[in-house]
Amino acid sequence: MATEVKEQKKYMKKSEILTFGIGLFGVALLTGWMPDYTTTFFADFAFKGTGIDPAQLANIVPMVFGVAGFVGAICELVIGILVDRTKTRLGKVKPWVGFGAIPLAIISLLVFVAPSTKSLTIASVWMFIIYALYTAVSCAVESPSNCFGALCSPNPEERGDAISIASFLRSVGQSGGQVVIIVVGAVMKALMGSQQFKNAEGQGLDLIVSTAICALGMIIFVMIFFANNKERVPYTSEKVSLAESIKLVFTNKNLLMVSLTKVAGFGRGVYGTVSLYIAIYLLGSKGLKLALMLPMGIGTAVGMLIVKKVLKKFSTKQTFIIFCIYGASSLAILFIVSKVVGFNSTLVVPFLILNFFCGLQHGNTNVTPNIMIADCVDEMEYKTGKRQEGLAYAGYGLFSKIASAFTKYLGPFLVYTWSGYAISKDPNIAYATQTDDTLSKFLAIYTIIPAIFVLLQAVPIFFYDMVGEKKERITAALAEKRASQMQETESDDSADADVAE
């Protein structure tokens, strides 16, 4: 009975749950929109009017993002090890998030400051270096911030609720940057006039201003999290070697299965690369990407609420598989409707409505894996006595970054090479007119290709078993262990007090 009471104890203040989410909102406010807009900045704006061949540049952009993805994969593993070795009075995660915010803001701004050069070689080297550097620094903040969910409370139910709410706010933050772009564009147009703004947009100046605003917002929101939240799950003091870390990542079956969902489903993310161009050529402006993604974002938010309800009745394993089947079906329906209606203004309303239903699936991928990983941390502590949140999330992050590397190469390749995309050569015109065949391929990149990978990502979860009786047994054992440790600590303190007297 005592164990049961211990499991149900609430540890977090309501304000902490909120500020945990605010912290993730702040990080996503900057990192959530950077990849897609960096892609268009590099391909469409950074070296426009310099004489560099746009076709050659377009062929290099996918490689830039592919290499940066693998840099991120390595950084995830290294940072995970360093997080587990971090022992401070603030905890093991908070220092990384709090002290990494300003460097992340600075490097994000530098991404949108291209060198003035006519050399394709110099331009290419700069893109490789600056985006790899951004990827490394963003890993040093994002990965630890995701770890905090496993440290905020030893109560699995409270922890799950906190992760769900924080994941929702992170999703909102990913759309927040797009709101900033719309507002910045509107203000610049009002101050400069339509023609001058058109020229400025043709050089990507609106992206630079938007990045500065999002970077400042990120710092403010992360500091709110930093000041109000604390880690409550104790960490072990053993030093972890690199060999042990790699062995743990690749030999824990359940953590491996959750991580493999990212690799198996890497192509589901290519819709993000093309979504900007769907907005441009269907809605008429890159700033209206928010209008395109808002229904999906709302769907994602609603999906998170639905996932929370579904998890009350089904296991994390069942929930993940159910939503994968639904997600692939919704994307396939969007593709069929788009082909029937045609890529024109008539498609806008049904496209946006169906985007909402496609967004529901993201509620699953934003919430369920994080809960699964936290459960895997419990399983590892139960088996080894070591609690290694940084390593567990780094293991997931390692696979996530490897998958991201493939996605970041595949997405730009599909958009700039496979689709036949034409880059504007006029410095005062942001985007060129595209052929019907290109627009048709854009639809495939946005819908049917991701649908295939959404189904593939469910395959590893069939082998995941940290559910049901096993999960309940491990949770109870850990609660009993911590209660025993607390009693021993209290006894030792009492003995020390008697000696002192």
Side-chain angles (χ1 to χ4, degrees), residues 307 310-323 364 368 371-372 375 461 464-469 471:
V307 166
V310 172
L311 285 169
K312 301 293 184 183
K313 298 183 179 294
F314 296 94
S315 69
T316 49
K317 175 178 181 176
Q318 294 167 326
T319 299
F320 193 92
I321 293 171
I322 289 169
F323 273 87
N364 172 54
T368 311
I371 296 175
M372 286 177 162
D375 292 338
I461 294 301
Y464 177 87
D465 66 3
M466 183 57 182
V467 293
E469 184 274 334
K471 177 178 176 179

Side-chain angles (χ1 to χ4, degrees), residues 186-210:
V187 172
M188 288 178 66
K189 189 173 184 179
L191 294 175
M192 302 170 68
S194 297
Q195 187 56 50
Q196 281 189 312
F197 171 68
K198 185 178 179 181
N199 296 342
E201 184 186 31
Q203 299 298 317
L205 295 180
D206 55 328
L207 296 178
I208 298 173
V209 176
S210 299

Side-chain angles (χ1 to χ4, degrees), residues 162-417:
I163 290 173
S164 297
I165 293 171
S167 297
F168 168 75
L169 289 176
R170 177 175 55 194
S171 177
V172 174
Q174 290 173 341
S175 298
Q178 296 168 39
V179 174
V180 171
I181 290 174
I182 292 176
V183 173
V184 166
V187 172
M188 288 178 66
K189 189 173 184 179
L191 294 175
M192 302 170 68
S194 297
Q195 187 56 50
Q196 281 189 312
F197 171 68
K198 185 178 179 181
N199 296 342
E201 184 186 31
Q203 299 298 317
L205 295 180
D206 55 328
L207 296 178
I208 298 173
V209 176
S210 299
T211 305
I213 294 173
C214 289
L216 178 60
M218 183 269 295
I219 293 172
I220 293 172
F221 292 124
V222 164
M223 289 305 111
I224 292 173
F225 157 79
F226 187 77
N228 191 56
N229 289 80
K230 66 178 182 178
E231 302 169 16
R232 288 185 171 82
V233 179
Y235 45 75
T236 56
S237 58
E238 298 91 340
K239 278 195 171 183
V240 184
S241 70
L242 179 61
E244 288 175 331
S245 301
I246 294 175
K247 180 180 178 181
L248 183 62
V249 171
F250 287 94
T251 58
N252 183 276
K253 186 191 77 171
N254 286 318
L255 177 59
L256 186 61
M257 292 305 105
V258 178
S259 301
L260 283 174
T261 62
K262 302 300 292 185
V263 178
F266 80 89
R268 67 187 297 273
V270 297
Y271 81 92
T273 304
V274 80
S275 62
L276 182 67
Y277 295 102
I278 294 286
I280 291 167
Y281 295 105
L282 183 61
L283 304 182
S285 168
K286 72 172 182 286
L288 292 178
K289 181 185 176 185
L290 176 65
L292 173 69
M293 302 307 290
L294 185 59
M296 184 174 285
I298 295 173
T300 300
V302 174
M304 290 181 186
L305 298 177
I306 294 174
V307 166
K308 190 175 179 181
K309 296 291 184 183
V310 172
L311 285 169
K312 301 293 184 183
K313 298 183 179 294
F314 296 94
S315 69
T316 49
K317 175 178 181 176
Q318 294 167 326
T319 299
F320 193 92
I321 293 171
I322 289 169
F323 273 87
C324 285
I325 294 172
Y326 166 81
S329 301
S330 63
L331 287 166
I333 291 172
L334 178 57
F335 176 75
I336 293 170
V337 171
S338 299
K339 293 297 290 184
V340 170
V341 176
F343 198 92
N344 53 59
S345 58
T346 308
L347 177 62
V348 172
V349 173
F351 197 92
L352 296 181
I353 292 174
L354 289 172
N355 249 14
F356 166 81
F357 290 101
C358 290
L360 294 176
Q361 61 164 318
H362 297 307
N364 172 54
T365 51
N366 283 350
V367 174
T368 311
N370 286 322
I371 296 175
M372 286 177 162
I373 298 169
D375 292 338
C376 290
V377 172
D378 282 351
E379 182 188 23
M380 287 187 286
E381 182 183 4
Y382 175 76
K383 289 181 176 180
T384 68
K386 299 178 181 180
R387 188 166 185 89
Q388 298 166 289
E389 293 87 355
L391 183 60
Y393 279 89
Y396 178 73
L398 172 67
F399 282 82
S400 178
K401 291 301 183 196
I402 291 173
S404 179
F406 292 139
T407 304
K408 287 176 179 178
Y409 176 82
L410 180 61
F413 171 79
L414 292 173
V415 171
Y416 298 120
T417 303

Side-chain angles (χ1 to χ4, degrees), residues 130-147:
I130 196 67
Y131 198 71
L133 184 58
Y134 163 77
T135 301
V137 176
S138 64
C139 281
V141 176
E142 277 190 298
S143 182
S145 69
N146 290 331
C147 292

